[in-house]
């Protein structure tokens, strides 16, 4: 599995999904092409999915928000008979490396979260209309929707058969959404997760696994009715006109570099580093929201978000030996802040809102990126407002102190904006500053007095905004030593360390999915009972059950 | 490592710890006997510890509460020169099976938690007085104390060198307590966890790693002064007289059975089951708290708690192929409730309080036991009050419905008491009923109207207190089918499933330690970078660093 995986697609290239738009509602059909697997060696039978199917789905959800703001309700359904979705393709999982499995699950989890974010942040509600078998990852798709309807016939059911069938967990949020979102009683959840054939009919409602069960003959009409009701009850303004998410400007260079219009990724293979430089805006901010909408996908902050998002996914899946991602910025901080200010001051405008909320998702993607992250605040940089968030998303930051010989760029400074105090909450629902200063809420209060000030390295260090400030004499050595040290550590230990240090404070359903559930699933993905030659995942489909070591740990 | 591990000890058998009592303060000295390892093959150098050392420590903490209620402050220190504690013994870890590592970490975690519980529940504050190197598990011991003092000399420091040195995590609560208890800024935590030699002097205070740093010459006097201050400020009543925790009545029988005075453990090896039966009280409750104190360790609810606690630990460490623990009770529910009522009505009496708080810990130990748990509510049983908690700690419960032919025991009933609404919170700080009915807080409210009623199977099922009720015709088949099904599943998948389903709702520092941190550590404990032949854990002490696969997952 060494081919480059591309996260960019568009409807003209979809092989697995189809959307029909009907004004305020959209019908999203899952119709997986069996022959359309991302890798050879498996067929995507029964609407089972692999990463390629999920890349299209992520694109659907993203375009729904930017290209179709008129949509208030998305009805997810199957275009196949007798099956809603059979979940992640087992042969794909059985053949995939541990790293691919983990990254696949992370991306699918992030995509499921966007369903819920679409309603919370944008008033686009997802509902699942289930006809036929809905199992494993299929039911996890439904769980991520905020309303689940099940038809009442002998073949339609919801199930999480992973434990009995495959000896792994329903790891794409399944267990967490069952207990924490749908609040299924834990002993019933235990029963549900033990029953290969799942639960159907009224019992699925009684156990809170679905919201309603409807007679087959009335199902389509009732689904339509419910969608119309949700749309009518929705407070989102009607009749909005979207923008087109035009293809990214992107070129792949030698040695793994990727050059976008505002983002540059340079890989240093020998040291296992990726240098990611974000460029400030060339142009002034649009004059107003009309100008913003006219710029569409070309507007600077949207372009930057899309390019950074793509770069992160590219690094995660295609550059797996990169252990350290080095973030730099270069550009005009004031101009950057003016772009962000337009969005903040017009946050009630749909597109301004969507761009801000997209940054919230992209910054969460940074938080969740399982590589060591460092920010270098160099002279000429523009860590301001939204880009300042990167300083508290990374594991450490280094800032240039005072003048450097031969460097005539403007002295390094950090500028806080109002957005740093609430626009981009982390998965734990706190801002990055609140998380950073968990023990000193008064420090966050104090920082809010510094909005708009260009804070030099001395001030930034004093305020705790960065880890270290070094002058011309020490900078190069200190940064080099850090990077060399980091490269010498076990990547697994760093993954575990970062997963624990990055998310202090309260846990939410989201952090529990990525922390507790994912960690246990990753553990199981290492255990012979699941992935060994006689493990259940390898034996699936052979007619033989897995053979287990029965020792409990 | 197949020898039977005994969790019972007493001061006359300690090899590693020594306590000096001085009225309201106690000095707890760690003085590990190098030759006193639980298993052959390693020496416990530099105050490093293994499970045997921790079994003694758990005994110290337990006796401090029951035998020495006069103590308000416990000062933990080292009896060795130049070293406070070097943490878990690496050679022991390197040689241990995965299951032993995991169980060792769980028990040490539970023991660390008892330090904090001692202050919260009983007013016994633990402070750490650190002279010399305090590394890894040594610093985790200190982190579990609520006040950390560090002497200011060139050899004294605190450190979490696991990641750079061993490619594993500081997994005994270290990472979680650094971020969530001490609220160390995450980038500073990142630096701290990367530095083998740790942090000393004023920086340790500045980074919040310790509470105070004191000049070596004044250290002992200042520690004493601080202990006296804490004792003086302590609201706990003075001059309490403890009770003796006399040896358990316990005998080991054939085939792995263990018989206590109130608990019976019978192992069915072929089906990998442990049958644990708890007997109700023979005698009436003590008349008052004076009678309670006079009974001491013999009083029924304390005896039962100690015996159940020992049985759980025995099963965890010594019966690792047992996959299912079946809880039954037999006895007089009214009498049981009267014993508990005495404690609840006198919760301001130190001993009544200690017994209740001990049950809180024992029930958490049940929650944390990584085996499938089921309760069988049979005729003649006494699932009432504290024992009813077991019904919501287990993964499922089955209850006998109506009369069974030839069974003339009293019909199965469940009795709620006031204690079920707050006396025994889970690690997530909710009661088991609140966790069970997370989506229906009104159900808990309704249940509080049923206190004292003997609820039969029909009522219990209707109220959601049990999973299933079956009559004489179905009982045997249904219970047998469940047990057979359970025994066919992968133990690893069950471990992950239960770790996710059992702890719905909010997370606390405690649940984060057992959920997030432990899960990641268990994952790392499977990874070749740590435990493979060229991994850091195996190579430790050979002069060669671990060799790592540098792929990130």
């Amino acid at each position: 599995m060494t081919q480059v995986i591309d996260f960019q697609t568009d409807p003209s290239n979809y092989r697995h999904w189809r959307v029909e738009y009907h004004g305020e509602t959209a019908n999203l059909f899952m119709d997986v092409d069996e022959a359309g697997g991302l890798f050879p060696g498996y067929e995507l039978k029964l609407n089972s999915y692999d990463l390629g199917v999920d890349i299209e789905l992520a694109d659907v959800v993203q375009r729904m928000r930017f290209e179709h703001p008129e949509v208030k309700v998305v009805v997810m359904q199957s275009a196949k008979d007798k099956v809603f979705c059979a979940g992640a393709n087992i042969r794909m999982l059985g053949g995939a490396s541990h790293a691919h499995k983990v990254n696949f699950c992370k991306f699918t989890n992030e995509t499921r979260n966007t369903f819920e974010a679409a309603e919370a942040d944008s008033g686009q509600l997802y509902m699942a209309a289930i006809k036929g078998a809905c199992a494993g990852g299929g039911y996890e798709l439904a769980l991520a929707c905020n309303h689940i309807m099940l038809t009442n016939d002998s073949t339609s059911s919801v199930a999480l058969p992973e434990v009995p069938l495959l000896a792994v967990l329903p790891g794409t949020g399944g267990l967490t959404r069952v207990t924490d979102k749908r609040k299924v009683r834990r002993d019933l959840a235990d029963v549900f997760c033990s029953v290969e054939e799942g639960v159907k009919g009224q019992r699925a409602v009684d156990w809170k696994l679905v919201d309603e069960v409807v007679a087959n003959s009335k199902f389509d009409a009732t689904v339509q009715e419910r969608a119309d009701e949700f749309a009518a009850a929705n407070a989102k303004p009607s009749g909005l006109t979207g923008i087109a998410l035009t293809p990214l400007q992107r070129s792949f260079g030698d040695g793994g570099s990727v050059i976008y219009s505002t983002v540059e990724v340079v890989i240093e293979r020998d040291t296992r580093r990726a240098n990611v430089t974000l460029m400030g805006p060339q142009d002034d901010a649009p004059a107003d929201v009309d100008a913003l909408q006219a710029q569409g996908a070309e507007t600077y902050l949207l372009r930057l978000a899309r390019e950074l998002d793509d770069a992160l996914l590219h690094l995660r899946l295609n550059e797996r030996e990169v252990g350290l991602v080095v973030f730099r910025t270069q550009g005009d901080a004031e101009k950057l802040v003016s772009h962000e200010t337009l969005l903040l001051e017009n946050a009630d405008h749909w597109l301004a809102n969507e761009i801000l909320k997209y940054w919230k998702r992209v910054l969460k993607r940074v938080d969740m990126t399982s590589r060591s992250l460092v920010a270098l605040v160099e002279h000429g940089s523009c860590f301001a407002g939204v880009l300042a968030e990167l300083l508290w998303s990374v594991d450490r930051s280094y800032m240039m102190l005072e003048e450097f010989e031969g460097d005539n760029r403007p002295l390094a400074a950090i500028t806080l904006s109002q957005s740093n105090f609430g626009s981009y909450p982390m998965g734990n629902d706190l801002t990055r500053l609140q998380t950073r200063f968990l023990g000193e809420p008064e420090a966050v209060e104090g920082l809010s007095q510094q909005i708009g000030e260009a804070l030099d390295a001395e001030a930034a260090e004093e305020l705790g905004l960065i880890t270290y400030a070094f002058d011309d004499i020490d900078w190069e050595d200190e940064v080099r030593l850090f990077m060399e040290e980091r490269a010498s550590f076990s990547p697994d230990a760093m993954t575990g360390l970062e997963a624990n240090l990055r998310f202090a404070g309260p846990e939410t359903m989201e952090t529990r999915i990525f922390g507790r559930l994912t960690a246990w699933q990753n553990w199981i993905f290492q255990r012979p009972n699941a992935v060994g030659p006689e493990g259940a995942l390898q034996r699936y489909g052979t007619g033989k059950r897995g053979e287990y070591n029965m020792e409990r740990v």
Side-chain angles (χ1 to χ4, degrees), chain A residues 28 36 49 68 77 116 135 158 182 193 228 263 281 301 326 400 452 455 508 519 540:
Chain A
L28 171 55
Y49 59 83
H68 295 281
Q77 54 215 107
E116 285 150 351
V158 296
R182 301 201 62 91
C193 295
D228 292 343
V263 177
L301 277 174
V326 185
M400 287 184 171
L455 302 163
T508 63
Y540 181 74

Side-chain angles (χ1 to χ4, degrees), chain A residues 373-391:
Chain A
L373 308 175
V374 61
L376 298 185
V377 188
E378 298 180 348
H379 294 329
S381 63
C382 54
F383 284 99
V386 62
L387 292 191
E389 291 288 318
L390 286 173
L391 300 172

Side-chain angles (χ1 to χ4, degrees), chain A residues 383-544:
Chain A
F383 284 99
V386 62
L387 292 191
E389 291 288 318
L390 286 173
L391 300 172
W392 317 309
S393 188
V394 298
D395 300 301
R396 289 191 205 178
S397 55
Y398 291 78
M399 185 165 179
M400 287 184 171
L401 174 69
E402 298 166 356
E403 296 198 353
F404 278 40
E405 204 185 313
D407 186 340
N408 53 15
R409 296 175 296 180
L411 289 191
I414 293 168
T415 308
L416 301 179
S417 84
Q418 192 60 49
S419 73
N420 302 126
F421 299 84
S423 300
Y424 315 113
M426 297 173 58
N428 64 6
D429 264 350
L430 300 182
T431 66
R432 282 176 192 77
L433 285 176
Q434 285 171 327
T435 304
R436 186 174 181 85
F437 297 104
L438 199 59
E440 304 162 74
E442 68 282 3
V444 180
E445 182 60 32
L447 286 168
S448 69
Q449 308 304 311
Q450 309 281 339
I451 289 173
E453 303 284 332
L455 302 163
D456 65 16
E458 205 176 12
E461 190 175 33
E462 174 70 24
L463 291 165
L465 295 174
I466 53 164
T467 316
Y468 291 117
F470 290 112
D471 64 16
D472 196 7
I473 295 168
D474 292 325
W475 173 263
E476 214 175 299
D477 278 350
E478 291 286 347
V479 170
R480 183 178 51 76
L481 282 172
F482 160 67
M483 292 187 180
E484 286 174 4
E485 178 199 73
R486 205 72 171 187
S488 74
F489 294 155
S490 160
D492 302 324
M494 299 316 298
T495 294
L497 181 73
E498 291 153 10
N500 278 280
L501 294 185
R502 286 183 189 169
F503 302 94
E507 299 251 5
T508 63
M509 191 175 74
E510 193 173 310
T511 63
R512 282 162 65 90
I513 289 172
F514 289 115
R516 182 181 280 264
L517 178 56
T518 297
W520 284 110
Q521 180 79 309
N522 290 356
W523 174 71
I524 287 168
F525 276 161
Q526 284 283 303
R527 301 284 292 165
N529 284 352
V531 298
E534 283 152 13
L537 213 49
Q538 298 305 325
R539 283 206 167 168
Y540 181 74
T542 64
K544 286 195 284 186

